[in-house]
Amino acid sequence: MDVNTVMEKRRSIRKYKEGTISKEEITEMIRAANLAPSWKNSQCPRYYVVYSEDMKEKLRTEVLLNHNPANCVNAVCYFVMTFEKGLAGFSRDGSQDNELGDAWGFYDLGLASENLLLKAEDMGYGTLVMGIRDADACRKLFAIPENEVVTAVISVGIPDIDPAMPKRKTVDEITKWF
């Protein structure tokens, strides 16, 4: 698929069919995520892949909150997305380069996450980005070090729905020209 088609087609999938995704395909998604630009090529995103049935169940019951466990039944895998502190927004000597500091890591991780989502779509898989989660439980369950910020959990699976595109704001509504 060309990039415009992939961007237009990608949706949040909240219902999956049973099925499998190979570890090789998951690795392709991570490679695509790793191609994203990052602050001074710091490559601060980190990916925790939850693939075993036991760990997927623990993630759904111990980490995901509110409606999220029901939204990802039959997901084949999950990515717990984190970024390493002190890289994006900083010079190689550790000094802060701009006022955002570690907040720049969120930007870099967002770029990487989008690449992952688009690659999954291109491969025929659906995804859902979930920010409502227990970060402390996630950190404990997956032994995530304190120098990483837990941001989101992304479910990946075989879509069992084909939702319509939500209404988007027009370019005029979101753009100012100078």
Side-chain angles (χ1 to χ4, degrees):
M1 256 184 273
D2 71 80
V3 69
N4 285 333
T5 301
V6 172
M7 287 187 296
E8 290 170 0
K9 194 171 184 292
R10 196 254 155 215
R11 301 281 178 278
S12 293
I13 300 299
R14 292 178 174 86
K15 187 175 180 189
Y16 299 104
K17 298 177 192 175
E18 287 188 22
T20 61
I21 299 173
S22 71
K23 287 185 177 181
E24 292 77 20
E25 290 174 301
I26 293 167
T27 300
E28 282 184 54
M29 294 176 208
I30 296 168
R31 282 191 189 112
N34 199 42
L35 292 174
S38 64
W39 182 280
K40 296 184 179 181
N41 198 33
S42 61
Q43 300 178 51
C44 66
R46 301 293 178 261
Y47 314 91
Y48 293 81
V49 181
V50 184
Y51 193 71
S52 72
E53 289 303 319
D54 177 53
M55 293 306 281
K56 289 190 298 187
E57 182 60 25
K58 286 181 180 181
L59 180 132
R60 281 191 295 270
T61 59
E62 298 175 24
V63 172
L64 297 180
L65 303 172
N66 297 345
H67 52 278
N68 281 333
N71 284 339
C72 57
V73 173
N74 294 326
V76 175
C77 74
Y78 298 85
F79 290 97
V80 174
M81 307 298 285
T82 76
F83 69 86
E84 189 175 337
K85 296 177 190 175
L87 297 178
F90 295 85
S91 293
R92 302 228 188 271
D93 67 5
S95 61
Q96 191 170 316
D97 274 341
N98 78 10
E99 75 284 359
L100 295 178
D102 270 324
W104 200 265
F106 288 100
Y107 188 84
D108 283 3
L109 187 58
L111 294 167
S113 295
E114 181 70 1
N115 275 15
L116 189 147
L117 298 175
L118 294 176
K119 183 62 176 180
E121 178 65 40
D122 187 52
M123 297 169 75
Y125 299 116
T127 55
L128 177 64
V129 179
M130 297 172 279
I132 302 172
R133 76 289 175 272
D134 183 332
D136 291 333
C138 196
R139 184 177 303 286
K140 182 178 175 185
L141 185 60
F142 303 112
I144 298 171
E146 287 296 323
N147 71 326
E148 293 180 28
V149 176
V150 177
T151 59
V153 175
I154 299 174
S155 62
V156 182
I158 300 164
D160 197 19
I161 56 172
D162 187 16
M165 179 188 289
K167 185 179 182 325
R168 296 295 200 209
K169 293 181 179 182
T170 67
V171 171
D172 289 339
E173 290 176 295
I174 61 172
T175 306
K176 293 188 182 205
W177 294 83
F178 298 94

